[in-house]
Amino acid sequence: MKNGKYYIGQTNNIERRLKDHNRGKDHSSKIGMPWILIHKEIFESRKEAINREIYLKSIKKRDRLEKLISRGVEQ
């Protein structure tokens, strides 16, 4: 989070995804390297994970997103 931004995404292999981002394999996240994992959520299905990703990306206020992440649950 060198650039002060959060990366929100979903994957079935978080360790690999984080390594790929920090190796610069993804152009969109290359600017923020090095990335660190600050929060993760586990879902039963990919559809649930994608819906959660869409919801989190829709949150425009940084403080609201940070509050939600720090609690670990949706309000």
Side-chain angles (χ1 to χ4, degrees), residues 17-25 29 32-36:
R17 181 79 167 193
L18 185 60
K19 284 179 186 176
D20 286 349
H21 284 307
N22 284 326
R23 288 181 183 140
K25 288 190 173 187
S29 63
M33 296 186 327
W35 292 95
I36 58 168

Side-chain angles (χ1 to χ4, degrees), residues 6-39:
Y6 292 113
Y7 172 83
I8 298 170
Q10 55 85 28
T11 182
N12 63 357
N13 187 330
I14 198 149
E15 291 82 14
R16 176 189 47 81
R17 181 79 167 193
L18 185 60
K19 284 179 186 176
D20 286 349
H21 284 307
N22 284 326
R23 288 181 183 140
K25 288 190 173 187
D26 187 336
H27 179 71
S28 64
S29 63
K30 197 172 191 175
I31 299 167
M33 296 186 327
W35 292 95
I36 58 168
L37 180 65
I38 61 165
H39 180 77

Side-chain angles (χ1 to χ4, degrees), residues 63-74:
D63 62 333
R64 184 169 169 224
L65 181 62
E66 288 174 347
K67 189 182 294 185
L68 192 142
I69 289 171
S70 70
R71 290 188 179 144
V73 294
E74 181 177 352

